[in-house]
Amino acid sequence: MLLVVAVAMVSCGGKKRDAAYYMEMVDSIRKAEQVKEIQQRSGIYTDPVEAWFDTLQIHTLPIRTAGSHLEQIGSFVSVPAIVKEHFGYPVSAHLKALGLPSAYRRQVVMVAEMVDSITPVLRLYTMDKQHQPIDFLTIYEQTPEDRPDDFGQRFMEYYITSKYEITLLNFYQSHDTGRRPELLNSRRYLITKEGKFEETIIEL
């Protein structure tokens, strides 16, 4: 607010204004902010994108993997066409989303891209104040894999603690379901103050 007033003073070409003039300007800015806050509390939005993000249901942490069973995680809602581009998807993509607690005042959203009617790809997004993605991390997906002596699929499991320690486990599951899944690797990520997903060392 003070920056706006300072810019206004400079833009006046050095013309002197009395204190009442600048106080009136500050009051106008404050009133505009108060009106916006009241509108949001009352569910009145002029920007549909902001309305969707602000009314997104927030799921508490921690969260553990639920495979493709999204209903076991929380109440995902459909992402409208106008918001899909904010996540970098085409309008034709079938997306569902769930809000998570903010990290360092950065909005965090879990987005499920439905590859088909039952198979999702799950990603975590950190968003800036304009609801544009800062970074994203894939935490669950299934992909087919052919081996010289076998075939099956890769899949992921994930664990998110209340401190946003995100552990990802990558497995291979043979087509022979009698075999136990093979752990391929494990990784852990944290969210930085800048809203980036940063890999960290897993303490054994």
Side-chain angles (χ1 to χ4, degrees):
M1 187 181 300
L2 292 176
L3 178 61
V4 173
V5 174
V7 171
M9 292 176 68
V10 173
S11 64
C12 289
K15 294 181 180 178
K16 292 184 179 180
R17 305 276 189 177
D18 58 18
Y21 172 84
Y22 294 110
M23 286 305 298
E24 184 177 342
M25 182 180 294
V26 170
D27 288 341
S28 297
I29 295 172
R30 284 178 178 164
K31 287 178 182 178
E33 291 176 343
Q34 289 172 355
V35 168
K36 182 179 179 181
E37 184 178 348
I38 291 171
Q39 287 178 334
Q40 289 179 347
R41 288 180 179 178
S42 303
I44 302 171
Y45 292 86
T46 56
D47 182 354
V49 173
E50 184 177 2
W52 186 84
F53 276 101
D54 285 355
T55 56
L56 196 60
Q57 182 178 344
I58 304 298
H59 190 287
T60 58
L61 299 177
I63 296 177
R64 64 175 297 153
T65 190
S68 60
H69 304 290
L70 298 181
E71 68 280 359
Q72 295 182 12
I73 302 173
S75 299
F76 283 77
V77 297
S78 296
V79 178
I82 196 172
V83 178
K84 290 177 182 178
E85 65 179 20
H86 284 255
F87 295 112
Y89 286 91
V91 174
S92 59
H94 183 193
L95 304 183
K96 297 181 179 181
L98 180 69
L100 298 181
S102 61
Y104 299 107
R105 297 185 179 180
R106 310 284 186 180
Q107 188 175 33
V108 183
V109 182
M110 180 182 289
V111 176
E113 177 189 8
M114 303 307 297
V115 179
D116 52 43
S117 60
I118 60 173
T119 308
V121 175
L122 280 180
R123 295 185 174 94
L124 296 181
Y125 283 81
T126 50
M127 315 295 289
D128 63 19
K129 292 182 178 180
Q130 286 70 46
H131 306 299
Q132 295 295 332
I134 299 171
D135 200 5
F136 74 88
L137 176 68
T138 302
I139 63 172
Y140 180 81
E141 64 179 335
Q142 300 177 22
T143 54
E145 180 169 316
D146 291 327
R147 294 185 171 186
D149 59 345
D150 193 24
F151 67 92
Q153 68 175 7
R154 284 183 179 235
F155 69 93
M156 302 171 69
E157 292 190 351
Y158 55 90
Y159 301 89
I160 308 172
T161 71
S162 57
K163 296 181 179 180
Y164 270 119
E165 296 171 331
I166 306 161
T167 302
L168 303 181
L169 305 174
N170 286 276
F171 292 91
Y172 169 77
Q173 175 62 64
S174 169
H175 73 285
D176 180 359
T177 55
R179 299 185 190 180
R180 297 185 63 180
E182 173 190 347
L183 177 62
L184 302 176
N185 59 65
S186 58
R187 300 177 183 276
R188 180 168 293 166
Y189 295 84
L190 299 173
I191 300 178
T192 67
K193 292 182 178 179
E194 292 74 29
K196 298 286 188 176
F197 292 99
E198 183 177 87
E199 188 172 358
T200 185
I201 297 174
I202 297 179
E203 297 180 2
L204 302 177

